[in-house]
Amino acid sequence: MLELYRPSARASVAVAILIAWTASLGWLGKRQLGKSEESTLSAEATLRLAPATTWYAITAGPVQIGYAGITFDTLSPGYRVTEATAIEMPSASATERVTRRTVAWLAATLELQRMESGLGVGGHHSDWKVEVSGDTVTTRFLSATSRAQGSARFSEAPTAAVAIPYRLALTDGLAPGRTRTIAPIDGWPPSVRVIAVKAEGDSEIRFADSTVATPGGTGRVAVHFDSVRAVSVAVDAATGPVRIWIDRRGVVAGLARPLGVRWVRTDFDLSTTNFRDALPSHVDTIRTALPELGRYAALPVADTGMMTRRFVVSHRDGSAVDDRLLAMLTGGRQQVRGDTIIVQRIGTGHDQRTSDTVPDPMIQEHAGLIVSWEHRLVGGPFTAQRLPALLAAVRAAISIDTSIDAAQDALGTLAVRAGSPDGIARLMVAVLRRAGMPARYVVGVYPRGTALLTHAWVEVWAPQNGGWIGIDPASGNFASTGLIRLAFAGSSRPEEMMMQLANARVDTASAGGLP
């Protein structure tokens, strides 16, 4: 006769515990899989991020031209990231210091809440303030004689560019080969662009972390070095391509721009104290190391050449640039083949990037003054065939102002009927968008002999004409093929673009129609 097994009380309790344990594991697994990135960031940030300050020497090739520091502070709740830079720019027979200090307040999930950024050039100072409320970004500008304000709504809340390393470190974004898209606020003035971020590989960064004074008291020397494993990350940023080395805690271990500066992590005294103390004797070295920058708008006659041009780019000592970063400049009218940038009259590729035509707080196309002005200028259906007439009308109505306090936003430029090349370009973008033409603001450089002339202009998407068309509203012409686009955000002022061009050498391989 069969007897059914009857478990003891102890066995029954054990089975119940096993079932409960299995169910708990399943619940935890389901909860983890369903965890959003925001909750992951909040939990991981609390465990892994700690207050710290990291210092860097800013170099142009082998020559130090300034210094930088990034400070991460914990708040209750949230975080604060402060990025400060100072570089020396050639000025007359000496150098002039250009400083910037950007402070970003982040939520517990590292989302941007507000940001303030101040720029100092000589005795002039100006400030930008950014506030984020849901999907709306409001930007305010203030200087001694100029004011600007604008708002824009985005499909998702943007993050701060300074928060990108921490976000990548806390969400497995540093896994080699992984590519992500992020929408940060970046540039000066700040704007938003969806960008690609790709983790490429591990490397070891060695840096000095303590110093002692030299016997003669003439400076300080390193006495101890540390090293950190960092991942090289290529960023297709709105302000131009950049490579960042990020450690597993989200700390920036180094930074490099293909034609510009490099940030080298080191001790505070080596990056800052030594540089300040030795600066008087290094002025000539710094001036020689940096390229001659000027304003394209200062040319007496604008270049109107439309022939395809090729430019060979390298570092100032002739060494090769980072070709993977340089390749990010491909798009629109430009192609990049190795170390050569090719600029054509029209971009024939199918590379329309809606992320480059997103709203911008400083392109206030919905402002009443701009709406009524566009109605008077356009007054009906608009096509690319009407661009010459529109360019002529804008050039006749708006004067170029190259002073340091010139209007940089669309509304301010229209209000005073004068603006910087940046402000005029933003105004043209606003008018074109009101007329139904996708358009984007761009900044770049015009090589002229040994000088690099900085400028801002506009690219318009006109598929019926073959693709992207470049127009230069500051000169009232189509944009010359001598203009090389470097970024979709920021300022074209030379002191602003030195970070991108400090180690640039641009040789014209072929050209036509030069003034």
Side-chain angles (χ1 to χ4, degrees):
M1 182 177 71
L2 293 175
E3 293 186 6
L4 296 175
Y5 170 68
R6 300 191 181 199
S8 65
R10 178 179 295 178
S12 298
V13 171
V15 170
I17 292 174
L18 182 61
I19 293 172
W21 179 72
T22 303
S24 297
L25 282 180
W27 177 78
L28 286 173
K30 182 177 180 181
R31 181 183 179 188
Q32 186 66 28
L33 288 173
K35 208 174 189 181
S36 67
E37 181 171 295
E38 286 73 20
S39 58
T40 300
L41 281 169
S42 181
E44 292 296 320
T46 301
L47 295 173
R48 295 168 56 184
L49 298 183
T53 299
T54 310
W55 296 97
Y56 311 86
I58 300 179
T59 67
V63 178
Q64 183 176 354
I65 64 169
Y67 49 86
I70 298 177
T71 299
F72 185 89
D73 292 314
T74 56
L75 306 177
S76 181
Y79 308 92
R80 180 178 59 211
V81 183
T82 303
E83 181 179 289
T85 63
I87 65 169
E88 297 294 322
M89 285 273 294
S91 175
S93 60
T95 61
E96 184 174 60
R97 183 162 299 172
V98 179
T99 61
R100 176 185 289 169
R101 185 174 185 270
T102 300
V103 185
W105 285 265
L106 312 176
T109 57
L110 300 186
E111 291 178 337
L112 179 64
Q113 295 177 321
R114 61 189 176 97
M115 183 169 67
E116 296 180 0
S117 188
L119 177 71
V121 182
H124 183 274
H125 192 83
S126 55
D127 295 281
W128 285 95
K129 295 185 178 182
V130 176
E131 294 182 358
V132 179
S133 178
D135 60 356
T136 301
V137 175
T138 300
T139 302
R140 295 179 176 86
F141 172 77
L142 173 66
S143 74
T145 60
S146 185
R147 305 284 189 276
Q149 178 173 329
S151 297
R153 297 184 64 184
F154 298 88
S155 58
E156 59 181 280
T159 188
V162 294
I164 290 177
Y166 305 105
R167 296 182 70 94
L168 294 177
L170 300 180
T171 59
D172 199 31
L174 298 179
R178 182 169 183 184
T179 299
R180 299 187 57 184
T181 57
I182 300 176
I185 290 180
D186 198 7
W188 176 276
S191 63
V192 181
R193 175 177 181 249
V194 177
I195 64 170
V197 178
K198 182 178 182 180
E200 296 188 336
D202 286 332
S203 58
E204 184 173 294
I205 306 294
R206 189 169 183 263
F207 58 94
D209 65 358
S210 60
T211 65
V212 295
T214 58
T218 58
R220 302 188 69 85
V221 295
V223 294
H224 185 267
F225 290 83
D226 200 353
S227 62
V228 64
R229 299 293 296 179
V231 176
S232 170
V233 178
V235 183
D236 187 13
T239 51
V242 61
R243 184 177 303 282
I244 309 174
W245 286 267
I246 306 171
D247 72 17
R248 298 296 177 179
R249 295 179 296 118
V251 175
V252 173
L255 178 151
R257 294 187 177 275
L259 300 173
V261 298
R262 185 180 183 97
W263 290 23
V264 181
R265 182 174 178 179
T266 187
D267 174 78
F268 169 79
D269 285 316
L270 295 181
S271 68
T272 307
T273 304
N274 277 4
F275 180 78
R276 288 173 175 169
D277 292 344
L279 181 60
S281 62
H282 289 172
V283 167
D284 290 339
T285 302
I286 293 173
R287 288 170 57 84
T288 302
L290 296 175
E292 177 189 352
L293 297 190
R295 297 297 297 261
Y296 177 77
L299 281 177
V301 179
D303 179 357
T304 58
M306 289 295 168
M307 295 175 60
T308 297
R309 305 191 206 190
R310 292 170 172 80
F311 303 93
V312 178
V313 297
S314 62
H315 291 146
R316 289 180 60 76
D317 63 1
S319 60
V321 302
D322 186 333
D323 57 355
R324 283 180 291 185
L325 288 185
L326 192 66
M328 292 181 180
L329 297 178
T330 293
R333 304 192 305 157
Q334 292 183 183
Q335 299 179 39
V336 178
R337 297 176 183 171
D339 63 354
T340 302
I341 298 176
I342 304 167
V343 184
Q344 301 171 297
R345 183 176 64 89
I346 296 177
T348 57
H350 300 287
D351 70 331
Q352 183 184 16
R353 293 283 300 276
T354 56
S355 60
D356 295 334
T357 56
V358 296
D360 184 320
M362 290 293 100
I363 301 175
Q364 306 102 325
E365 67 254 44
H366 301 297
L369 187 62
I370 291 178
V371 171
S372 60
W373 198 59
E374 180 273 333
H375 183 71
R376 289 198 301 271
L377 287 181
V378 177
F382 189 83
T383 64
Q385 284 68 37
R386 297 182 62 189
L387 280 173
L390 180 61
L391 281 166
V394 172
R395 183 67 186 89
I398 308 296
S399 301
I400 300 175
D401 181 356
T402 57
S403 70
I404 198 167
D405 279 319
Q408 301 180 59
D409 65 310
L411 185 58
T413 298
L414 180 58
V416 298
R417 294 298 197 272
S420 65
D422 307 52
I424 299 173
R426 289 190 173 93
L427 176 59
M428 178 62 83
V429 171
V431 170
L432 288 170
R433 290 182 179 179
R434 291 298 312 172
M437 295 283 288
R440 59 193 184 189
Y441 165 89
V442 301
V443 297
V445 66
Y446 177 86
R448 190 170 190 256
T450 59
L452 299 174
L453 308 183
T454 61
H455 198 44
W457 65 99
V458 177
E459 291 183 346
V460 185
W461 176 247
Q464 68 276 19
N465 290 72
W468 289 105
I469 299 173
I471 59 173
D472 181 12
S475 65
N477 300 306
F478 283 90
S480 160
T481 50
L483 289 165
I484 303 171
R485 188 196 69 242
L486 298 178
F488 297 100
S491 167
S492 72
R493 283 163 47 178
E495 60 268 21
E496 284 296 293
M497 295 197 69
M498 181 59 83
M499 288 287 195
Q500 296 169 281
L501 296 167
N503 198 18
R505 174 178 170 180
V506 183
D507 296 312
T508 303
S510 62
L514 292 175

